[in-house]
Amino acid sequence: MRGGMERSYFWGITLDAAHKEQKWEGTATENTVDCTVTTHTLSVRQVVLGPDAKEGEANVVELEVMGFNDKKQRIPIYVSKVGGSYVSSVEVLVEDQAATFHLTKGSGPVYLSGTHQTETNVIGEDDIEELGDEDVEEEEEDEDEVVEDSPPKKKAKK
């Protein structure tokens, strides 16, 4: 791939009683017309408990993503209630996959913010040829291994 172009955007969502779930579609996208692939990275950096949150009510935000071996992961990334800190710094990174934020307890509002970064790369004919060359090299290496594993040939007696 050649010539990556990176862009960064502000990102934010609100979770509350009316919107307890928000999805982020961050899977890589391919543009066959322009021969490009765009990858997405979401970096959640701050969570704020809104001033209208109910007294004594805990607010829990969970993140749901696909983990290793396509195993669904759902884990709390924020827990707070009125009387505690209203602003929390977090480090949550989601790369090239969909994610769902859930307000599993409380009625909020809870504000999440961070950055959405994209990187667009051009896929050229050279890249396709290089991939083809790598396949040929791997096949040649496999053939060499077979020869090395073979027992030595015996000379025929005359």
Side-chain angles (χ1 to χ4, degrees):
M1 285 191 257
R2 299 178 278 142
M5 182 177 84
E6 295 182 22
R7 303 231 21 205
S8 187
Y9 305 92
F10 176 80
W11 172 89
I13 61 169
T14 302
L15 297 172
D16 56 24
H19 305 95
K20 289 196 169 267
E21 182 178 291
Q22 294 276 345
K23 293 186 180 192
W24 184 70
E25 294 297 332
T27 53
T29 54
E30 186 175 332
N31 182 330
T32 55
V33 174
D34 295 336
C35 293
T36 59
V37 173
T38 301
T39 58
H40 300 268
T41 302
L42 177 64
S43 179
V44 182
R45 299 178 187 237
Q46 182 173 288
V47 184
V48 178
L49 182 62
D52 299 332
K54 294 179 183 173
E55 186 76 34
E57 179 180 74
N59 288 271
V60 178
V61 175
E62 291 183 352
L63 174 63
E64 181 180 326
V65 295
M66 293 303 283
F68 183 69
N69 285 336
D70 292 328
K71 183 178 178 189
K72 187 187 290 188
Q73 300 287 319
R74 186 167 168 165
I75 189 149
I77 59 169
Y78 175 78
V79 177
S80 187
K81 64 181 178 178
V82 173
S85 176
Y86 283 90
V87 179
S88 295
S89 295
V90 296
E91 276 190 49
V92 177
L93 192 66
V94 180
E95 294 182 311
D96 284 330
Q97 65 173 308
T100 305
F101 296 88
H102 302 272
L103 181 61
T104 58
K105 198 169 190 182
S107 55
V110 177
Y111 306 99
L112 292 90
S113 63
T115 56
H116 173 189
Q117 297 169 307
T118 62
E119 183 176 359
T120 302
N121 290 295
V122 176
I123 301 174
E125 289 180 18
D126 295 341
D127 297 321
I128 295 169
E129 287 175 11
E130 284 176 17
L131 291 174
D133 291 343
E134 288 175 9
D135 290 341
V136 169
E137 288 173 13
E138 285 177 12
E139 287 175 10
E140 288 173 359
E141 287 175 8
D142 290 344
E143 289 173 4
D144 290 342
E145 288 174 10
V146 170
V147 171
E148 291 172 8
D149 291 341
S150 302
K153 293 181 181 180
K154 295 181 182 177
K155 291 185 180 179
K157 293 184 181 179
K158 293 184 184 181

